[in-house]
């Protein structure tokens, strides 16, 4: 999840030398979290443009779209988490993306017959 450059191919270690006065030499090296590119997703808006290891991004589906096309507030957005390999991983049905909402079966109507 960390490197000296914030990239997966960056160095992950450095040395510090103990000097004669018992102090370590100064260094500008520091461990930086790996960056994850936040891709654009069709029919959705991302909550962030920049993301690093351990952080999350929320993709909110645009009006008329839902995760997997399923109706309900719980399907209005999807959560992705930046992993140590610089990939964003989504849980559950989020892999389906934001697709047009589906109405499902027509509910029974009193005194009516469904015509195909």
């Amino acid at each position: 999840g960390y490197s000296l450059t914030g990239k997966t191919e960056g160095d992950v270690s450095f040395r510090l030398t103990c000097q004669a006065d018992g102090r370590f030499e100064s260094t500008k090296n520091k461990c930086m979290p790996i960056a994850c590119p936040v891709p654009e997703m069709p029919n959705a808006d991302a909550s962030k443009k920049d993301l690093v290891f351990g952080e999350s991004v929320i993709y909110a589906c645009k009006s008329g779209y839902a995760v997997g096309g399923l109706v309900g507030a719980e399907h209005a957005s999807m959560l992705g988490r930046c992993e140590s390999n610089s990939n964003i991983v989504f849980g559950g049905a989020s892999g389906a993306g934001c697709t047009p909402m589906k109405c499902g079966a027509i509910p029974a109507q009193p005194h009516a017959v469904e015509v195909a």
Side-chain angles (χ1 to χ4, degrees), residues 61-72 75-76 98-104:
C61 296
K62 294 181 178 178
S63 180
Y65 295 86
V67 177
L70 302 172
V71 177
H75 303 292
C98 294
T99 57
M101 287 186 178
K102 301 172 189 166
C103 290

Side-chain angles (χ1 to χ4, degrees), residues 36-99:
C36 287
V38 178
E40 288 191 22
M41 195 168 285
N43 309 310
D45 295 313
S47 62
K48 296 180 177 182
K49 297 210 182 284
D50 300 307
L51 201 63
V52 295
F53 172 66
E55 292 182 337
S56 297
V57 61
I58 297 172
Y59 284 90
C61 296
K62 294 181 178 178
S63 180
Y65 295 86
V67 177
L70 302 172
V71 177
E74 67 275 17
H75 303 292
S77 64
M78 52 194 153
L79 179 70
R81 183 173 171 84
C82 178
E83 298 292 322
S84 62
N85 61 0
S86 81
N87 289 327
I88 297 177
V89 175
F90 295 94
S94 296
C98 294
T99 57

Side-chain angles (χ1 to χ4, degrees), residues 7-55:
K7 298 180 180 178
T8 54
E9 66 276 357
D11 289 334
V12 294
S13 65
F14 60 93
R15 292 180 182 261
L16 290 177
T17 304
C18 180
Q19 301 178 80
D21 65 359
R23 296 184 205 186
F24 286 103
E25 65 184 337
S26 64
T27 182
K28 293 187 173 148
N29 289 319
K30 67 178 186 175
C31 297
M32 298 169 41
I34 299 290
C36 287
V38 178
E40 288 191 22
M41 195 168 285
N43 309 310
D45 295 313
S47 62
K48 296 180 177 182
K49 297 210 182 284
D50 300 307
L51 201 63
V52 295
F53 172 66
E55 292 182 337

